[in-house]
Amino acid sequence: MNEEFQKEIGIISQVNHKNVVKLLGLCLETKVPLLVYELISNGTLFKHIHDKGSQILASWSNRLRIASEIALALNYLHSLADPPIIHGDVKSVNILLDNKYTAKIADFGASVLISPGQTNILASKIQGTLGYLDPEYLMTGILTVQSDVYSFGVVLLELLTGEKPNSISSSGEKLNIIQHFISALETNNLFKILDFQAADEGEMDEIEVVAELAKACLNRMGVNRPTIKQVSDRLAMLTEHTQKSWTQQNNDETDYLLGETSTSSRKEVDQPILTPSQTVISFQIENYTDSI
């Protein structure tokens, strides 16, 4: 086995998280050694974003849930794995969806282990995928956990806009999707470049929060990006709010259909549901840089 193959086995064999693909075994009976992973039946996130016939991303709630699951997995790799791991090649092709469309991070060929007390790795060669690569890593050759944060920001942008990082315009010119996205966000044109329709004002608020979060992740300076834990916590908060709103809406519809008018039901219906702008935007993403 070559050195890179052994390195990937060493990394993936010690990872255990519901949102990371599981290594089941190793086959040495073939000319080229093979890693055997769990079957992930619904292909890559890239396929579902860019195949306009796919329905799984038709709703904002699914896009938000998948983004939250990816962030959870990265937070596990950065903070909870022992030793911590920098994935090194976060992109939509390396995010798989299982039979329940749960997101799972795959492909640890470019990953590195972080030794105790270590905060960065001076790479012997640049690895990863252009369009997703941290510009700071490209310039310095120094890989950090914040490099994964940048790449995740590109995936968030992809989930929002449906555009590939290296897109070509109809005139054949190469587009800088990141600059286009940030410009749209800063000129209040975000909803003109989305790949889907927001169902209501509550979803619009959530989308704006995630867009600001993506912008923060895409800061060219790693020190000014949020940590993946901050990102994961914000996305989890949004996801929880979305689930509560969906449950409340369904309960209200059920009560209406059944004709229930009990005092307890009326109290539940009358309880105001805080919008994302009240519960989430208040944490002010623009203050990330001050808190890091």
Side-chain angles (χ1 to χ4, degrees), residues 190-210:
L190 172 65
F191 292 94
K192 293 181 180 180
I193 64 170
L194 295 182
D195 187 39
F196 56 95
Q197 294 292 323
D200 52 39
E201 188 174 336
E203 285 195 356
M204 292 174 70
D205 287 343
E206 292 177 352
I207 292 163
E208 287 181 343
V209 171
V210 174

Side-chain angles (χ1 to χ4, degrees), residues 102-233:
T102 299
K104 293 178 181 282
I105 290 183
D107 194 347
F108 286 77
S111 301
V112 294
L113 300 174
I114 309 173
S115 303
Q118 195 173 23
T119 58
N120 57 62
I121 304 291
L122 180 58
S124 56
K125 64 177 180 179
I126 302 294
Q127 296 189 77
T129 304
L130 288 176
Y132 297 89
L133 276 174
D134 173 12
E136 212 168 45
Y137 171 45
L138 274 173
M139 289 188 295
T140 65
I142 297 175
L143 184 68
T144 72
V145 290
Q146 294 305 89
S147 301
D148 279 351
V149 172
Y150 181 91
S151 300
F152 177 72
V154 180
V155 173
L156 277 183
L157 184 153
E158 209 171 347
L159 274 167
L160 287 166
T161 68
E163 295 286 353
K164 300 172 186 176
N166 297 309
S167 290
I168 305 297
S169 69
S170 56
S171 62
E173 295 180 358
K174 189 174 180 180
L175 296 177
N176 187 320
I177 296 303
I178 294 174
Q179 288 183 2
H180 180 61
F181 166 77
I182 292 175
S183 174
L185 185 58
E186 291 176 345
T187 56
N188 297 317
N189 288 311
L190 172 65
F191 292 94
K192 293 181 180 180
I193 64 170
L194 295 182
D195 187 39
F196 56 95
Q197 294 292 323
D200 52 39
E201 188 174 336
E203 285 195 356
M204 292 174 70
D205 287 343
E206 292 177 352
I207 292 163
E208 287 181 343
V209 171
V210 174
E212 289 288 351
L213 191 57
K215 177 185 173 183
C217 291
L218 293 168
N219 194 296
R220 294 188 68 84
M221 296 181 63
V223 70
N224 290 335
R225 297 170 200 149
T227 65
I228 199 63
K229 185 181 188 311
Q230 289 174 314
V231 173
S232 180
D233 287 349

